[in-house]
Amino acid sequence: MTQTPVQPSPQPPVARKVPSVRTHHGDSFEDNYEWLRDKESAEVVDLLKAENAYQEAVTAHQEPLREAIFQEIKGRTQETDLSVPNRKDGWWYYTRSVEGKEYGIHCRVRGQDTGDRVADWTPPAVEAGVVIPGEEVLLDGNIEAEGKPFFAVGGAATTIDGTLYAYAVDNAGDERFTLRIKDLRTGELLPDVIENVFYGISFSPDGSRIFYTVVDDSWRPYQVKSHVLGTPVSEDEVIYQEDDVAMWLGFELSADRRHLVLSIGCSEFSETRLLRFDDVDAGLRTVISRDERILYEAEPFLLADTSGRGQERILLTHNKDAINSMVSLVDPAELAKPLAEQHWSTVVAHSEQVRVNGAGVTSTHVVVSIRKDTIERVQVLPLAGLGTPEQGAAVEPAFDEELYTAGVAGSDYEAPVIRMGYTSYFTPSRVYDFVLPTPEQPGGELLLRKESPVLGGYSPSDYVATREWATADDGTRVPLSVLRHASVRQDSTAPGLVYGYGSYEMSMDPGFGIPRLSLLDRGIVFVIAHIRGGGELGRHWYDDGKKLRKKNTFTDFIAATDWLAGSGWVDPARIAAMGGSAGGLLMGAVANLAPEKYAAIVAAVPFVDALTTILDPELPLSALEWEEWGNPITDPEVYAYMKSYTPYENVRAVAYPKIAAVTSFNDTRVLYVEPAKWVQRLREVNTGSEPIVMKIEMEGGHGGASGRYVQWRERAWDYAFVADSLGATELLPGAGLK
């Protein structure tokens, strides 16, 4: 009797060791894999390809599951669709998506001006797959992407008269864009081509110039430049250059387009400089110097008065004596005085329970974004009486769900409406127009323009979302969003997945996601841990998870895991963890702290070699990280604290769970070398037998590959890895596409 030979298990690639010693503050760390940073090395590229081959061999059995999840995502998505038209000046702008095509098609159609303001700002009835009379195609991403390894648009702008359209395209995934300008009257491209611009472009109000941002060698935006159409790019004017390597530079036009607004800042303080378009020779004017160490945003505008001309005012969203920020109104003349002598009128007072995220203006109202009880909300206030005892009351559009996200999705200064986006965990994205309050309609009016369709028999009633609370080691209550299929029973047998981020004051807000349904339909209880370092519970929540309190982020996540393990919903042996970028650092940290609590970990573009990166200010974006983690170059306490938790330095001889590090070769935010080094070190000391793999997209950036179908397959890969690791490959009875 002949026996079938046993196939040998695939073996991971082993990088050679080249000792390199990093010494700071009297502490030395030997790194055997730092040589993998050489992106131009054929040996490095070959190793990365071998990592992919190993990953493909180890996960080959997951391919049917990946295909099933991909088909579920595809089957629930209306592939031929379009966005709700958004009016800017005299045109309605929208994007079409077409079945079988990877990228959006950007279009517009002319608006009407009948004198009925609400009617004129009611979007035209545009149908999926139907070209309407007068429709113009501004940019077809599918044509632009032909023959290119990657395609992403980093910004677009149209002149006020609607004749010129500028757009910036990235064909590498490195977030450096090429800017081109199209004459919409002829369809021809202008000869003006500007290379290596960053996100964000705007025309001057008269359409004669275009403003753009440039990054330095470390990928930090540091220059705002102005290009006069028809002149050589070499003659472009530097409007402003920011030389502080720890400060980020950006710009936008003020809402009324009378000013260019430059924003300079980090996570702890900022500076705004204004350039008046009607007095360019006066140069830039600083609102509040960064030396005051205030974190603020400034919006200049004209406040109507009895003269009819309007008074120049500045709306400030700031944290002066207000940890959660507040909104004030300032006469620009006050800014010439010392800060302590300036008079600011309160528009939105400070609250320990409400975080003010930002404020803007229309011609009639102030629009304020706040966060209360973890939920993002929008409030509007009339400009009439602003900052006086006669100021009108705030009006907030009301929604009927407990866990939701509502935010401003765009508004035109002259519009009688603001466009809002709304979503919850099981309510597909909705677009509303909120008709701004008037004396005749003091509560405003919420008009539903669209709810994104979900196919395949989707019903929100099949799923349940609840707010739960974990208790951290120091007694802090950590909010959790717990999502599950309605048929899952609380009998301690289900699989579970804990997801987290916890950095940069970013909140993991409720939002609908078609791919996530594929996990819920397989019985996985999905927990989003709103851990410290995020912004869900105000500025204190962020401050308690950064710098020398960063470890709270990691222990909060473990507390969330412990809550899930003891909740009665899941089998404690069937819990996985997932996070990306700074959430990937979180994954690396919890893998070291509590590897026994997880059956599998997926770390996407993981910031796992953070100390090496931040110690080198020449590396992309490193200096900008000092306000988040501290500066280990100059501060020995920060160095020691970071070294005590950063994943790469703290890999130890324990049995690690299954780990997948997912990355991209051209990522400029978290370099591929971080996960490449990490997986080598993990395998070297791992005492367990579970595989540790790295999946690298050789033509993608920080967000992975481009194209929606490719991105769906990437998400299917991640979710199949989790589901397979948890033994949750089969759909629940009655679940899935119908």
Side-chain angles (χ1 to χ4, degrees):
M1 185 174 178
T2 305
Q3 288 189 330
T4 304
V6 176
Q7 295 297 317
S9 299
Q11 295 301 306
V14 178
R16 62 188 174 90
K17 295 181 180 180
V18 181
S20 171
V21 178
R22 184 193 73 205
T23 302
H24 285 270
H25 305 295
D27 175 76
S28 294
F29 174 72
E30 185 174 270
D31 188 346
N32 290 321
Y33 304 111
E34 177 62 14
W35 68 273
L36 295 176
R37 191 175 300 279
D38 185 0
K39 190 176 181 181
E40 305 301 318
S41 164
E43 184 180 2
V44 170
V45 172
D46 286 345
L47 180 77
L48 298 178
K49 290 179 178 177
E51 287 283 8
N52 265 344
Y54 172 65
Q55 165 268 123
E56 289 167 2
V58 167
T59 66
H61 68 284
Q62 297 170 13
E63 177 55 34
L65 180 57
R66 291 197 287 260
E67 183 62 26
I69 293 174
F70 171 78
Q71 292 298 337
E72 289 161 18
I73 297 170
K74 190 170 183 289
R76 287 189 169 108
T77 303
Q78 182 163 306
E79 297 180 63
T80 298
D81 202 1
L82 71 158
S83 63
V84 177
N86 185 53
R87 183 161 181 168
K88 195 70 177 173
D89 300 313
W91 296 83
W92 290 98
Y93 294 87
Y94 51 98
T95 302
R96 291 187 181 275
S97 57
V98 177
E99 184 173 356
K101 293 191 175 183
E102 295 274 12
Y103 301 100
I105 302 168
H106 304 272
C107 308
R108 73 175 183 177
V109 66
R110 192 175 289 277
Q112 300 295 314
D113 292 301
T114 66
D116 183 335
R117 281 171 55 75
V118 174
D120 289 344
W121 288 85
T122 298
V126 183
E127 296 181 48
V130 179
V131 176
I132 62 174
E135 180 175 280
E136 298 181 13
V137 174
L138 305 176
L139 183 72
D140 186 334
N142 303 287
I143 294 174
E144 289 284 327
E146 282 181 9
K148 306 293 196 307
F150 184 92
F151 174 78
V153 177
T158 311
T159 52
I160 291 177
D161 64 10
T163 59
L164 298 178
Y165 175 75
Y167 61 98
V169 168
D170 172 13
N171 289 131
D174 62 3
E175 297 181 280
R176 290 196 179 188
F177 301 87
T178 298
L179 187 154
R180 294 182 173 86
I181 302 167
K182 183 179 182 180
D183 188 329
L184 296 175
R185 294 162 294 190
T186 65
E188 300 296 319
L189 290 175
L190 301 187
D192 309 66
V193 177
I194 308 174
E195 302 285 355
N196 295 321
V197 309
F198 196 56
Y199 293 102
I201 54 178
S202 294
F203 281 105
S204 60
D206 65 4
S208 66
R209 291 185 291 165
I210 191 162
F211 300 98
Y212 62 95
T213 310
V214 178
V215 297
D216 62 15
D217 290 340
S218 66
W219 252 263
R220 176 184 65 95
Y222 82 116
Q223 286 183 336
V224 171
K225 301 181 79 171
S226 167
H227 172 74
V228 177
L229 303 188
T231 65
V233 173
S234 59
E235 297 177 5
D236 287 2
E237 177 188 2
V238 177
I239 301 293
Y240 178 75
Q241 176 170 313
E242 176 54 51
D243 293 322
D244 187 334
V245 296
M247 300 291 273
W248 186 283
L249 173 65
F251 76 92
E252 60 184 358
L253 301 193
S254 61
D256 59 12
R257 294 191 284 212
R258 294 184 309 113
H259 289 82
L260 182 71
V261 182
L262 301 183
S263 301
I264 308 146
C266 59
S267 66
E268 299 193 339
F269 58 90
S270 58
E271 182 175 277
T272 298
R273 301 192 182 200
L274 304 176
L275 180 70
R276 286 184 60 144
F277 287 121
D278 64 358
D279 190 12
V280 173
D281 292 339
L284 293 167
R285 177 165 55 100
T286 300
V287 178
I288 303 168
S289 168
R290 69 188 72 183
D291 295 337
E292 303 290 354
R293 289 303 193 261
I294 294 173
L295 187 64
Y296 73 98
E297 296 175 353
E299 178 70 41
F301 70 106
L302 291 175
L303 184 63
D305 61 7
T306 54
S307 72
R309 293 189 302 272
Q311 302 171 328
E312 188 78 36
R313 291 291 182 265
I314 295 176
L315 193 72
L316 289 179
T317 304
H318 65 90
N319 70 346
K320 179 177 178 289
D321 303 320
I323 184 69
N324 274 333
S325 293
M326 60 184 291
V327 182
S328 299
L329 188 66
V330 184
D331 183 332
E334 293 289 317
L335 300 174
K337 304 175 184 176
L339 183 65
E341 298 175 16
Q342 294 177 20
H343 173 69
W344 299 3
S345 300
T346 297
V347 174
V348 178
H350 176 254
S351 167
E352 289 291 337
Q353 286 73 47
V354 178
R355 174 75 163 106
V356 177
N357 292 326
V361 296
T362 73
S363 60
T364 58
H365 286 78
V366 171
V367 182
V368 185
S369 171
I370 65 168
R371 184 177 298 279
K372 183 180 179 182
D373 299 328
T374 77
I375 300 301
E376 185 181 357
R377 308 158 187 259
V378 174
Q379 295 182 342
V380 297
L381 294 155
L383 287 185
L386 196 69
T388 73
E390 289 73 43
Q391 176 177 299
V395 174
E396 180 179 315
F399 302 97
D400 57 7
E401 293 185 270
E402 176 192 12
L403 303 179
Y404 67 89
T405 301
V408 176
S411 61
D412 189 275
Y413 183 68
E414 297 293 344
V417 303
I418 57 171
R419 176 65 52 83
M420 292 185 64
Y422 176 91
T423 184
S424 75
Y425 289 118
F426 299 120
T427 300
S429 297
R430 291 176 178 170
V431 174
Y432 287 97
D433 278 340
F434 180 62
V435 181
L436 292 165
T438 61
E440 298 75 29
Q441 198 169 40
E445 184 181 8
L446 204 55
L447 303 174
L448 178 62
R449 299 305 191 191
K450 180 179 182 178
E451 179 173 300
S452 295
V454 182
L455 310 181
Y458 171 74
S459 173
S461 62
D462 289 341
Y463 306 93
V464 178
T466 63
R467 167 56 42 83
E468 308 292 347
W469 298 83
T471 303
D473 290 344
D474 62 1
T476 299
R477 298 177 75 233
V478 180
L480 313 176
S481 295
V482 181
L483 318 180
R484 59 181 172 82
H485 195 279
S487 67
V488 172
R489 295 182 179 178
Q490 198 169 2
D491 59 6
S492 299
T493 64
L497 172 63
V498 187
Y499 175 86
Y501 186 78
S503 291
Y504 305 107
E505 204 180 356
M506 288 183 63
S507 298
M508 299 296 101
D509 289 323
F512 183 76
I514 283 177
R516 189 170 57 220
L517 300 177
S518 292
L519 292 183
L520 301 178
D521 284 351
R522 286 168 173 81
I524 295 174
V525 178
F526 196 117
V527 174
I528 299 163
H530 305 287
I531 51 186
R532 279 176 282 186
E536 286 88 346
L537 289 174
R539 183 73 181 192
H540 287 296
W541 199 248
Y542 170 50
D543 288 340
D544 282 346
K546 66 182 291 193
K547 290 191 171 179
L548 296 177
R549 285 175 276 187
K550 187 64 203 172
K551 289 181 185 178
N552 286 334
T553 301
F554 316 135
T555 52
D556 282 1
F557 189 88
I558 292 171
T561 304
D562 290 341
W563 177 90
L564 181 60
S567 67
W569 288 109
V570 306
D571 176 352
R574 300 177 72 199
I575 297 176
M578 177 181 282
S581 197
L585 182 152
L586 169 67
M587 293 299 100
V590 300
N592 290 332
L593 289 169
E596 73 284 353
K597 295 182 186 291
Y598 304 99
I601 293 175
V602 175
V605 288
F607 192 33
V608 283
D609 193 20
L611 190 51
T612 301
T613 295
I614 297 174
L615 282 167
D616 186 352
E618 299 301 315
L619 289 176
L621 307 180
S622 290
L624 295 170
E625 301 290 351
W626 295 338
E627 297 301 331
E628 182 72 19
W629 316 95
N631 186 346
I633 298 174
T634 59
D635 190 331
E637 184 182 14
V638 169
Y639 174 89
Y641 186 75
M642 287 192 69
K643 193 182 178 190
S644 73
Y645 71 72
T646 43
Y648 185 60
E649 286 87 349
N650 288 283
V651 170
R652 58 197 178 96
V654 294
Y656 282 96
K658 292 179 184 174
I659 292 177
V662 182
T663 188
S664 295
F665 191 52
N666 292 324
D667 190 343
T668 57
R669 295 173 184 257
V670 178
L671 300 184
Y672 73 89
V673 68
E674 298 204 20
K677 290 169 57 175
W678 183 51
V679 297
Q680 289 292 330
R681 180 74 179 135
L682 282 168
R683 293 187 195 124
E684 183 183 344
V685 303
N686 184 21
T687 63
S689 57
E690 298 291 358
I692 294 167
V693 302
M694 183 172 81
K695 176 178 178 286
I696 180 165
E697 169 56 56
M698 296 302 287
E699 293 177 339
H702 192 62
S706 62
R708 57 177 176 167
Y709 296 107
V710 178
Q711 291 176 346
W712 293 349
R713 290 200 180 276
E714 288 190 340
R715 184 59 57 85
W717 192 98
D718 297 343
Y719 282 0
F721 186 89
V722 168
D724 177 72
S725 301
L726 297 179
T729 60
E730 300 299 323
L731 292 166
L732 296 172
L737 294 177
K738 298 179 177 64

